[in-house]
Structures are given as C-alpha cells and as structure tokens.
Amino acid sequence: MSQGAIERRGLMLVLSSPSGAGKTTISRELLARDGGLVLSVSATTRPMRPGETEGVDYVFMDQARFDEMVRDGAFLEHATVFGHCYGTPRGPVEAALDEGRDVLFDIDWQGAQQVAEEAREDLVSVFILPPSTEELERRLHTRAQDSDDVVRARMAKAADEMSHWAEYDYIVVNEDVEASVAAVRSILEAERLRRERRIGLHDFVEVLRRGS
Ligand code: 5GP
C-alpha cells in the first residue's frame, strides 16, 4: 500500500515572513509542484496592486463587507497589517481539509497565532527569513510596486515581524529560492507522515496484524 492510500487529516501549512523575503515566490512554486496543496485566498480591504487578480491573489472588499464577515464569524483568523484588514475565509479551508487536502496560508504572525489557538494539531508553521538586511531592502526596491514611502514603512515593519520567528515550527533562510522550496517540501513530506494525522493507520495496522 502507498503512503497516500492511508487516510489522513489535511494539514494547514502557514508561511510567514517580512515583505520581500520571497514568500510569494516560494508559495507559487510549492503550489505548482504539489497537487495536494491548495492556497487559501485571503480577503483584504487594501487596494488591488497592478498585476493582481480578484479572487486569485485576494478577494478584495470594502471595510463594511469585511466587518460583516467578522461579525458573522466567517473568518478563521483576521488581522490588521499595514493599516489594512486581512482575513482567511473559513469555508474554503474547511472544505479542503475535509477532502484530505492540505492548505497553504500566506498570513502574518497574528494570523498564525490565531490558527494555532483554533487548531494547533493541524498547523505546521514556517517562517521565512531573508539572508541579510541589504538583500531584503534590495528585493523590496526591485519589486517596485509600492511607493518609496511604503517600502520604507515595510523595512521598518520587517524588524517587528521578524521578532516573531521563535513562534514558528520551522525557520527557512531564503538565500536561494530552489533550495527554500525544497526545504519546505521536505517539511511538508515529513509532516504528512506524522502518526497523529494518519487516521487510517489504526485499521491498516489491524489488518497487518491479523495477517489478512
Ligand atoms: P500584502 O498586502 O503585501 O499582500 O500582504 C501584507 C501582509 O499581510 C503579508 O505579511 C501577508 O502574509 C499578510 N496577510 C495576507 N493575507 C492575510 C490574512 O488573511 N491574514 C493575516 N493575518 N495576514 C495576511
């Protein structure tokens, strides 16, 4: 029997990092290479950036709609980041987990803390660090989708964001995208084999023990 044939609960893979550490590229690569992983698309009140697509990068909404979803308990977690609201819609995550799929979250440390409070046993959290301050600054400027003011604000926030590194299960220093993607895939592969998630193991072993 293959590993995948034994029933297991889906896991929630949270990736956090300061802006510019390469998290978005790593997420995209993980999703492209792993058919069992689906992305949780967050809702946000921030304006759409050039190149972003509604419903793919985010579900963009006004403050009134966001507040309504908070009141309805429609978010698994939500937080204010850089003055805008972000939240993870609960429904699609629960549907994916029920199907035994794993869900990737690109959320900040506040979101990771809330997911840990709700479902610690299903959470695998990874914090991505840039290799140096210079490289972080360079990447933020190269991206150039934000104004200089926003880049400056994000550099200042990066120090705060990075202070939460010790709350995560795994730390990946993103020197090289390929190596970082490989590291996160190894984490995922090992976490999928954890005994606690493999709810079909009990029956599988019983059959082995009976010898039939
Ligand atoms: P950006 O506006 O650059 O796309 O994202 C800014 C920050 O918000 C990133 O650190 C990102 O991880 C975080 N973020 C995006 N979506 C969510 C969400 O649904 N919940 C939380 N807590 N943070 C989010």
Side-chain angles (χ1 to χ4, degrees), residues 167-210:
E167 296 158 24
Y168 286 74
D169 299 325
Y170 299 91
I171 311 297
V172 172
V173 177
N174 184 26
E175 186 101 42
D176 169 77
V177 172
E178 274 302 315
S180 299
V181 170
V184 179
R185 293 193 76 194
S186 310
I187 293 166
L188 196 51
E189 195 173 351
E191 289 284 347
R192 283 172 170 161
L193 294 179
R194 281 191 86 96
R195 186 188 66 243
E196 302 84 350
R197 297 190 214 292
R198 307 181 77 192
I199 50 187
L201 268 182
H202 177 82
D203 290 351
F204 178 65
V205 175
E206 281 311 299
V207 170
L208 286 180
R209 293 183 67 209
R210 280 201 307 272

Side-chain angles (χ1 to χ4, degrees), residues 23 42 46 49 58 77 79 86-88 106-108 111 154:
K23 176 181 50 177
S42 295
R46 85 148 159 74
R49 294 196 192 117
Y58 284 102
E77 62 74 36
Y86 295 82
T88 301
D106 173 343
I107 61 177
D108 81 334
R154 287 185 178 219

Side-chain angles (χ1 to χ4, degrees), residues 54-75:
E54 162 69 26
V56 174
D57 297 288
Y58 284 102
V59 175
F60 295 91
M61 59 180 62
D62 62 18
Q63 192 68 48
R65 174 79 187 115
F66 193 93
D67 293 345
E68 189 183 314
M69 286 184 70
V70 171
R71 274 198 306 277
D72 291 348
F75 289 127

